[in-house]
Amino acid sequence: MRRRTGRIVAAAIAATCAFSVVSCSSDDSSSGSGADSSAAEESGVKATGDPVKVGLFNPSKGPATQGGVTSGRDAAVNYINNQLGGINGRPIEVVDCGIDQTAPESTISCANQFVQAGVVAAIDGYDSESQSAVPILTSAKIPLVGQIPFNTATGASADNRVYFGPPPAAFLVGFMQTLKQQGKTSLTLANADLPQAHQVFDGLLAPLGKQLGIDVKSVYYPPAGPNFTALATTLAEGNPDAAGLMTSANDNTCTKLAQSLRSVGYKGTMFMAACTEFIDTMGSQAVGAETYSPGWQPPAIESAPEPAKSNLKVAQKYIDEAGGTGGFYAYGTFSILTDFVNGLNQAKVTDFTGPNVLTALKGLSGFQSFLGPQLTCGKPTTPNCTTEMLLFEVTSDKTTKPVGDGFITPSPEVLKAIPGAA
């Protein structure tokens, strides 16, 4: 999934940031070109008037940074304000606040900044410490909006929050369901040694594996500097049917681990979280590996149905222009902001307050998300608008196809056992 995008000159990036983003930062990652986006060129509608402010918890600090959130933010704001006509005609302004996912106090500080800034919603940029902000946001009547709640406590309740993608448990269940269907019964996965990783792995992965008949083991590595050869050796012990990463802060981790798994002779199914850069780097060595996503990604563009195929081209165009890091977090952030705006436009919101925004988003039904499935939000037991997820298999150099030809629906009965998952 992870395509690097073309770097734009610093002045152009600065101009884009100054136009529509508060506290904007650039990313120095190099990149290559994306898919042809000529079909995405349209005469757009430019937003005017007073901006509508939204906050963004951006994991741009500390050892577990996610650079794609910044690229996706810049690209989405450009697209929304210059093509979509903003939020019912008014431009969106992102109040960006950098967080360190190893320090909950940074999330708390950002939540307080959003209250002071008068934002109408706070965007969860895949913050594993998002629960730290919930009491502050709820008290101020500022809804929390995202795609996947990386914090299990945040995802356990529907109060004052909406997530356009599936819960983390859906990815675990969907992936293991597929392994079982393929006759695979053992799985070893690694994750950065962070508190939320232990909650997900220890609290969800092992019990779900037992319920689905999969022998599951977990391995942790230091987020600041893993020894990839040692990690790959540990993952390959016992020759599990599948091994790899359930989540990754960046594609570099996926690429180095995938290369190390092959170098130590692992022949099973490599599972590389939501990464795609390793596909470009490893070529035929990556064939057979699997990745997950809540929506369609560039390597599978030829398999994507409409409107996802056209929307991918739009996203690629704007992410290319933004420069910096592409990949899952860039496309995910682009999708969150676009779904947020399209949802409010569909609901015809004109009085922008936190409660009005929350009511509008929870009222979405049969809503076509930008890169994912149709959504129905506002369920009383979950903040997530869907449980559907995509699992991709690398089939040839630099391409993937969805396993099962489309979205996978994890077992509702299994999900019911997990707070907030169904």
Side-chain angles (χ1 to χ4, degrees):
M1 166 182 74
R2 219 176 236 274
R3 293 234 175 151
R4 295 282 184 161
T5 49
R7 211 170 4 173
I8 308 301
V9 294
I13 295 176
T16 300
C17 294
F19 173 70
S20 52
V21 182
V22 176
S23 186
C24 182
S25 60
S26 61
D27 190 311
D28 291 330
S29 300
S30 60
S31 55
S33 62
D36 175 26
S37 60
S38 59
E41 293 288 349
E42 299 175 359
S43 58
V45 177
K46 190 169 183 177
T48 60
D50 293 333
V52 178
K53 292 183 181 181
V54 299
L56 172 62
F57 292 102
N58 186 345
S60 57
K61 298 179 179 180
T65 59
Q66 296 162 349
V69 172
T70 298
S71 303
R73 173 204 69 192
D74 293 345
V77 169
N78 185 8
Y79 172 60
I80 290 164
N81 287 345
N82 293 299
Q83 289 290 321
L84 291 185
I87 309 177
N88 283 310
R90 293 172 58 181
I92 187 173
E93 180 182 298
V94 176
V95 180
D96 185 285
C97 192
I99 57 168
D100 177 353
Q101 297 193 83
T102 65
E105 58 270 20
S106 69
T107 293
I108 293 171
S109 176
C110 287
N112 285 321
Q113 288 183 45
F114 296 156
V115 174
Q116 294 172 4
V119 303
V120 302
I123 304 300
D124 181 356
Y126 306 97
D127 179 9
S128 63
E129 292 295 336
S130 59
Q131 179 61 23
S132 301
V134 168
I136 297 168
L137 298 177
T138 301
S139 177
K141 298 182 179 179
I142 298 172
L144 182 63
V145 181
Q147 186 178 63
I148 306 167
F150 272 22
N151 184 286
T152 54
T154 301
S157 172
D159 293 344
N160 200 50
R161 67 209 79 169
V162 174
Y163 284 84
F164 298 125
F171 294 104
L172 299 172
V173 174
F175 175 49
M176 287 192 285
Q177 277 181 190
T178 303
L179 285 179
K180 192 69 174 179
Q181 292 166 1
Q182 296 169 343
K184 300 173 182 178
T185 59
S186 56
L187 169 66
T188 304
L189 290 174
N191 209 342
D193 194 3
L194 298 171
Q196 271 302 305
H198 285 270
Q199 288 184 30
V200 173
F201 275 59
D202 301 342
L204 290 179
L205 189 61
L208 288 174
K210 185 175 182 180
Q211 190 169 354
L212 293 167
I214 304 288
D215 179 19
V216 177
K217 296 179 181 179
S218 58
V219 178
Y220 298 97
Y221 62 88
N227 181 322
F228 289 101
T229 299
L231 181 59
T233 300
T234 302
L235 285 170
E237 285 179 0
N239 194 32
D241 293 325
L245 292 163
M246 182 53 70
T247 62
S248 178
N250 55 63
D251 263 303
N252 187 51
T253 299
C254 287
T255 299
K256 288 184 176 180
L257 182 58
Q259 290 172 325
S260 297
L261 280 168
R262 291 300 189 225
S263 71
V264 300
Y266 180 66
K267 302 295 184 183
T269 299
M270 293 193 305
F271 187 72
M272 289 292 109
C275 299
T276 56
E277 186 181 277
F278 78 97
I279 300 170
D280 289 332
T281 303
M282 297 179 65
S284 61
Q285 284 281 304
V287 172
E290 294 184 358
T291 65
Y292 76 81
S293 177
W296 293 91
Q297 298 292 335
I301 192 168
E302 294 307 317
S303 298
E306 294 293 353
K309 181 178 287 188
S310 295
N311 289 344
L312 265 176
K313 293 177 180 179
V314 170
Q316 282 183 300
K317 173 185 183 298
Y318 284 90
I319 290 171
D320 280 350
E321 291 177 355
T325 302
F328 172 77
Y329 293 109
Y331 285 88
T333 303
F334 191 100
S335 295
I336 295 169
L337 287 167
T338 303
D339 286 336
F340 174 77
V341 170
N342 284 337
L344 295 182
N345 285 344
Q346 179 172 303
K348 295 181 170 55
V349 176
T350 56
D351 183 11
F352 295 101
T353 66
N356 286 349
V357 167
L358 181 65
T359 297
L361 296 181
K362 283 187 174 289
L364 294 176
S365 180
F367 172 72
Q368 179 57 59
S369 62
F370 191 70
L371 293 177
Q374 286 194 349
L375 308 178
T376 297
C377 307
K379 301 179 183 71
T381 55
T382 176
N384 297 91
C385 300
T386 184
T387 62
E388 293 183 281
M389 50 84 72
L390 286 162
L391 185 65
F392 295 110
E393 179 183 6
V394 182
T395 54
S396 62
D397 283 2
K398 304 180 182 180
T399 62
T400 64
K401 71 174 184 179
V403 176
D405 298 323
F407 285 94
I408 295 171
T409 301
S411 169
E413 292 304 314
V414 175
L415 290 181
K416 282 180 182 179
I418 302 162

